[in-house]
Amino acid sequence: MLYIKNGTVIDPAGDRVYRADVQIENGKVAGIFPALEDGKGGKMPEEAKKSEEEAKKNGQVIDATGLMIAPGLADTHVHFRDPGFTYKEDIETGAAAAAKGGFTQIVLMANTKPSVDNKDTLSYVLEKGRKTGIHINSCANVTMQMAGKILTPMEELAKAGAAGFTDDGIPLMDEALVKEAMERAKRLNKPISFHEENPALITNNGVNAGKAAEFYQIKGSPREAEIDLVKRDLGIALLTGAEVVIQHISARESVELLRQAKAKGAHVHGEATPHHFTLTQEAVIRKGTMAKMNPPLREEEDRLAIIEGLKDGTIDVIATDHAPHSREEKEKPITEAPSGIIGLETALSLGIRELVQKGYLTWPQLIQRMSTAPCKLYGLKGGKIEAGMNADLVLFHPEETWKVSSFASRSSNSPFIGEELPGVVYYTICGGKIVYQKETNKVTEITRKERTEK
């Protein structure tokens, strides 16, 4: 039994924030006890006191004074590089990074080696994921070996447990094949996700064709490469009725195209990464390859359009596109280094700083886009705090800051190293078990009194 007292619950379903105690038994939320406001900060009902006493005898009590309690976060766009590239990340280190960041649900991308275009590889990933303590799900590929020519046995892979389908990292250029893949995904009631960059329009990927490309004296990647495929695939989505995800949107035109497609009735969804709603192409000039990613960071107008899309619900999912690479790989010249950054351990903090503290989103709206909506999209259990639900929770201090320095991830390719960010995760709880706890020596630096004063 686990009893969490004196916390502030974020309820995305009810669009509210309130003080409450939370009781956990047998991996489930057994009770939620809202404070009875008495003009002196509130008090707990007698039933809560009894539950706390029982936990003291037969379980554990967590004093969450000053902490927020939210549904465990869900990231539906993650690369753990396992199998094939485990020097960058494997399922164990990736899961540790996820837990440290407050994530309890993960959906892996399928660009491994071998790729997830067969039952054996899918089974390997899912079985290894079951041993981590958090919920590891995986997409399967859309095409065999991600070659863009022959569709995978999607029905067989769905039956084997694939959460969805994607060739993320490789754009699909055969329009007829895209349409057939969407039709199959619709029949299987699975989402299908697309990396939207037309390679025919790109000279140097990972760097915006603008100020950043000029700085490095290269041609870069123009916004038209993304817009071209977004426009095509939104049109096919409207025809097929499939649940289509436009991944890691970077251009303001893409946001508007998505908004229009939704208005027409298309079952389409947009992803925003923390780096795309936080940074612009100036970061690539300052940070070099540490800020190189596909699609690239663009202009301030694009960043603000992404935030507006998150605000009005056009973009319904925040996903990290956690993409680990080794130090040696990222130390190569800008045109040779791989694209991508890690993001699981900084995502919540960036959402707090850029979206909540600046007044764009409320707490329930942030958690809705980082937990409730991604869980709903992929049919995952989570995203709510209700009696009877799985006890998947994150407890964090919203204002306490931390310095980005070391990571639980095997890689450290982050442009945020050295920054002070708000939002310190104290506990990540999955299935009623504590899978991450802030180090004792650091927790004791902030007493209950100090947390209350903050």
Side-chain angles (χ1 to χ4, degrees):
M1 181 179 180
L2 186 60
Y3 190 86
I4 306 168
K5 67 177 185 177
N6 302 326
T8 299
V9 172
I10 302 174
D11 175 16
D15 192 27
R16 61 181 180 143
V17 177
Y18 62 98
R19 285 191 59 240
D21 290 4
V22 179
Q23 178 186 354
I24 297 170
E25 288 187 85
N26 300 317
K28 306 282 187 182
V29 175
I32 302 172
F33 306 107
L36 303 174
E37 298 304 327
D38 61 0
K40 298 179 182 178
K43 59 183 180 180
M44 289 297 155
E46 289 300 318
E47 186 182 357
K49 293 178 181 178
K50 292 178 182 178
S51 296
E52 182 182 348
E53 288 303 316
E54 184 181 341
K56 286 179 180 177
K57 295 177 184 177
N58 303 306
Q60 181 179 352
V61 176
I62 294 175
D63 187 348
T65 299
L67 305 183
M68 303 193 100
I69 306 170
L73 306 180
D75 192 344
T76 52
H77 188 153
V78 174
H79 302 269
F80 279 175
R81 311 301 193 193
D82 190 353
F85 307 99
T86 53
Y87 67 93
K88 302 173 189 260
E89 191 86 283
D90 59 34
I91 289 171
E92 291 88 352
T93 59
K100 186 178 178 183
F103 290 89
T104 57
Q105 289 275 10
I106 294 296
V107 177
L108 298 177
M109 297 296 97
N111 59 337
T112 51
K113 188 176 183 180
S115 55
V116 190
D117 58 8
N118 62 87
K119 288 195 303 181
D120 288 344
T121 306
L122 177 61
S123 296
Y124 163 84
V125 170
L126 296 180
E127 181 58 33
K128 202 169 180 183
R130 278 190 279 271
K131 300 173 183 177
T132 63
I134 66 170
H135 306 296
I136 303 290
N137 312 277
S138 181
C139 284
N141 291 116
V142 177
T143 67
M144 296 300 297
Q145 299 180 346
M146 298 181 67
K149 295 179 180 180
I150 301 170
L151 291 179
T152 59
M154 294 171 69
E155 294 80 3
E156 181 180 282
L157 289 164
K159 191 176 293 185
F165 297 94
T166 185
D167 273 8
D168 176 56
I170 304 292
L172 289 170
M173 299 310 299
D174 186 329
E175 189 169 336
L177 181 141
V178 168
K179 182 173 182 290
E180 185 180 351
M182 285 192 195
E183 289 170 342
R184 288 196 192 182
K186 177 176 170 54
R187 288 197 298 270
L188 294 168
N189 195 30
K190 296 286 185 180
I192 182 168
S193 305
F194 293 94
H195 182 124
E196 306 289 44
E197 288 188 291
N198 187 339
L201 302 179
I202 298 172
T203 304
N204 311 103
N205 69 15
V207 179
N208 184 50
K211 186 185 296 185
E214 291 168 8
F215 177 83
Y216 288 106
Q217 299 183 335
I218 59 177
K219 291 187 177 180
S221 174
R223 62 200 312 106
E224 289 77 15
E226 176 177 296
I227 297 164
D228 181 56
L229 292 190
V230 168
K231 187 179 296 184
R232 181 199 72 181
D233 290 343
L234 290 176
I236 300 172
L238 188 60
L239 285 174
T240 61
E243 295 286 343
V244 171
V245 182
I246 305 299
Q247 297 179 304
H248 40 46
I249 289 174
S250 72
R252 56 188 180 272
E253 293 89 347
S254 300
V255 179
E256 183 55 33
L257 287 167
L258 182 65
R259 187 176 285 117
Q260 293 172 9
K262 285 192 169 190
K264 293 175 183 176
H267 299 291
V268 290
H269 309 269
E271 278 182 5
T273 70
H275 44 275
H276 282 113
F277 65 65
T278 300
L279 302 173
T280 62
Q281 62 182 338
E282 278 76 9
V284 188
I285 296 172
R286 296 194 312 271
K287 303 284 187 177
T289 62
M290 283 294 186
K292 178 186 178 184
M293 70 274 298
N294 299 335
L297 300 170
R298 300 203 190 272
E299 301 172 4
E300 177 66 3
E301 291 83 357
D302 299 297
R303 188 184 76 85
L304 292 174
I306 290 166
I307 291 175
E308 185 59 33
L310 284 165
K311 188 176 177 181
D312 69 16
T314 298
I315 299 175
D316 35 7
V317 169
I318 292 173
T320 68
D321 191 12
H322 177 84
H325 294 294
S326 71
R327 184 181 66 182
E328 292 77 15
E329 289 170 326
K330 277 294 191 176
E331 286 177 346
K332 292 180 179 180
I334 193 76
T335 55
E336 298 174 23
S339 293
I341 66 171
I342 60 171
L344 285 166
E345 295 169 64
T346 53
L348 176 60
S349 292
L350 293 172
I352 292 170
R353 187 183 74 179
E354 299 297 325
L355 302 176
V356 176
Q357 290 186 350
K358 294 181 180 179
Y360 294 114
L361 297 183
T362 64
W363 284 111
Q365 287 171 333
L366 177 67
I367 299 303
Q368 200 274 341
R369 287 148 183 75
M370 293 191 75
S371 180
T372 314
C375 282
K376 182 179 179 182
L377 175 59
Y378 279 84
L380 310 177
K381 294 178 180 179
K384 300 177 183 178
I385 302 179
E386 295 177 356
M389 292 282 293
N390 285 347
D392 296 347
L393 308 172
V394 55
L395 280 61
F396 64 95
H397 195 296
E399 296 174 359
E400 184 185 342
T401 61
W402 62 288
K403 187 172 183 178
V404 182
S405 55
S406 60
F407 300 93
S409 170
R410 179 162 286 156
S411 294
S412 58
N413 51 308
S414 169
F416 302 107
I417 291 174
E419 292 196 27
E420 291 277 346
L421 298 178
V424 174
V425 174
Y426 272 72
Y427 295 91
T428 302
I429 298 168
C430 190
K433 296 180 180 179
I434 296 171
V435 293
Y436 170 79
Q437 181 175 348
K438 189 174 181 287
E439 297 88 349
T440 302
N441 64 327
K442 292 185 179 179
V443 172
T444 54
E445 292 172 4
I446 298 182
T447 65
R448 173 180 169 179
K449 180 177 181 293
E450 288 170 337
R451 281 196 270 129
T452 305
E453 287 173 349
K454 285 194 176 187

